[in-house]
Amino acid sequence: MIGIAIDGPGGAGKSTIAKTLAKRLGFVYVDTGAIYRTVGLYMSRIGVAPEDAAGIEQNIGGVHLGIRYENGEQRMLLDGEDVSDKIRTPLISKYASCVSAVPAVRDFLFVTQRELAKKNDVIMDGRDIGTVILPDAEVKIFLTASAQARSKRRFIELREKGEDVTLEEVLADMRQRDHDDETRAAAPLKQAEDAILVDTSELTLEQSIAAVEAVIRPALEG
Ligand code: DC
């Protein structure tokens, strides 16, 4: 099986690019952030606070998650319920960030992620795919963009959804999440030594997809 790892900070375009290229290449797209979000949703439902690392660790064994693919779209299940839409809220973003810093959660999800890559050709996106989950991936990409560029894109997305936010708020939130992801003790966000850096700050989405495809295609053929 072939594994392609795409890591990088939030808002760099990882999921859109990975999803598009997975379709083109006939690979399964695995959004690992959605898996952490589902754990976050579970903790919020049972009333464990996001900051309560001990409570999260105690309850991780109670999480029954499932991943299903419908027309190439990844759907997340929690206790059999499709929660794919419920995990896309600011509260669950906060929970996901907190649960992902707990080593017991990362250990629990390690096997799930590895199994997916064992059974399928995958494009997997996340924060530690090239460094921890698939250290032997055929292709590793670190996809990034400046905090300004990423915030601007997120701002436009949120405004389109009708959310009342300012660019300054989105930028501050982005910087905080970058800081949390980069400085946590468990699997911090960092570029794998053998990953190729793609910076999309000055690129449109189409150009970003083409830049990533230009890295992947020769690596698969070579
Ligand atoms: O990519 P995202 O925003 O859906 O990720 C949600 C959170 O999960 C984010 O705070 C980073 C964390 N995460 C992680 O620690 N490791 C991954 N492989 C994927 C996401």
Side-chain angles (χ1 to χ4, degrees):
M1 288 297 158
I2 299 173
I4 299 174
I6 303 187
D7 291 301
K14 293 190 302 284
S15 59
T16 313
I17 296 169
K19 208 188 282 179
T20 306
L21 290 177
K23 263 198 194 123
R24 263 184 219 173
L25 297 165
F27 280 35
V28 170
Y29 164 55
V30 183
D31 171 359
T32 63
I35 306 178
Y36 287 92
R37 285 170 180 274
T38 304
V39 173
L41 179 67
Y42 175 79
M43 296 300 164
S44 81
R45 282 184 171 177
I46 63 166
V48 173
E51 298 81 12
D52 181 6
I56 291 169
E57 182 169 349
Q58 264 166 27
N59 286 286
I60 184 68
V63 178
H64 298 293
L65 56 81
I67 304 177
R68 199 170 61 198
Y69 285 88
E70 266 173 27
N71 307 318
E73 290 277 321
Q74 175 178 322
R75 307 296 299 179
M76 292 307 307
L77 308 180
L78 181 60
D79 285 319
E81 175 194 349
D82 188 327
V83 292
S84 311
D85 301 324
K86 301 197 170 109
I87 57 176
R88 305 284 163 197
T89 69
L91 175 69
I92 300 306
S93 295
K94 162 97 180 136
Y95 260 101
S97 178
C98 291
V99 303
S100 72
V102 178
V105 172
R106 305 202 75 87
D107 292 347
F108 180 79
L109 297 180
F110 179 86
V111 180
T112 309
Q113 295 172 80
R114 273 294 256 278
E115 286 297 314
L116 281 166
K118 232 190 249 170
K119 294 188 189 132
N120 307 281
D121 289 330
V122 290
I123 297 192
M124 209 174 246
D125 85 25
R127 303 292 190 286
D128 63 338
I129 309 306
T131 49
V132 177
I133 305 296
L134 303 178
D136 299 323
E138 274 74 8
V139 189
K140 294 183 189 177
I141 292 168
F142 194 80
L143 193 76
T144 189
S146 68
Q148 281 82 358
R150 290 183 287 121
S151 321
K152 215 162 141 193
R153 291 175 195 157
R154 184 61 49 94
F155 172 69
I156 293 168
E157 259 173 43
L158 290 171
R159 275 298 171 101
E160 277 170 1
K161 280 201 215 164
E163 296 206 21
D164 184 25
V165 286
T166 65
L167 183 58
E168 289 69 33
E169 282 165 355
V170 178
L171 180 62
D173 192 50
M174 189 76 80
R175 289 217 161 106
Q176 182 63 48
R177 279 234 274 156
D178 285 356
H179 179 264
D180 293 346
D181 284 353
E182 286 162 8
T183 56
R184 69 180 179 214
L189 171 67
K190 68 168 196 281
Q191 186 178 345
E193 271 178 25
D194 49 352
I196 292 168
L197 180 73
V198 177
D199 186 323
T200 67
S201 304
E202 306 291 331
L203 305 182
T204 63
L205 179 60
E206 280 313 310
Q207 290 169 331
S208 305
I209 294 169
V212 174
E213 190 167 16
V215 174
I216 294 176
R217 291 250 183 221
L220 293 184
E221 281 154 17

